[in-house]
Amino acid sequence: MPLDPAVRKILEELNKVMPPQMTKIPLDEFRKMFRAFFTSQPRRPIYKVYDITIPGTEAKIPASLCTQRRH
C-alpha cells in the first residue's frame, strides 16, 4: 500500500529535525522535540471527529479520528 502524501511529508520533515539515533535519546527530551515539531506545523480546521476504539492486548483503547473537509 502506498504511503499517504501527507504522512510522507510529515515523515520527511521529522527526518530533518530528529536525529537518526532517536532510540538513544532520553524519553523526556524526545517528547519535547516531538511536541516542538508538531506545534510548529500549521493548524488545519477539523471537519469531523470520529470516536473510535483501537484493539489493545488487554482492552480497547479509546481514540479520536479527525478529518478535514474535502475540496
Side-chain angles (χ1 to χ4, degrees), residues 2 10 12-13 21 24 31 33 39 42 48 57:
I10 289 172
E12 287 170 356
E13 291 299 316
Q21 302 274 330
K24 298 190 180 186
R31 286 180 175 151
M33 292 169 55
T39 56
K48 283 188 178 180
T57 55

Side-chain angles (χ1 to χ4, degrees), residues 1-4 8:
M1 176 198 279
L3 191 60
D4 181 280
R8 181 181 305 282

Side-chain angles (χ1 to χ4, degrees), residues 6-34:
V7 173
R8 181 181 305 282
K9 183 177 179 184
I10 289 172
L11 292 175
E12 287 170 356
E13 291 299 316
L14 276 172
N15 284 332
K16 290 178 188 176
V17 297
M18 298 282 189
Q21 302 274 330
M22 288 189 299
T23 57
K24 298 190 180 186
I25 297 172
L27 185 56
D28 288 342
E29 187 178 333
F30 178 80
R31 286 180 175 151
K32 287 178 189 175
M33 292 169 55
F34 190 80

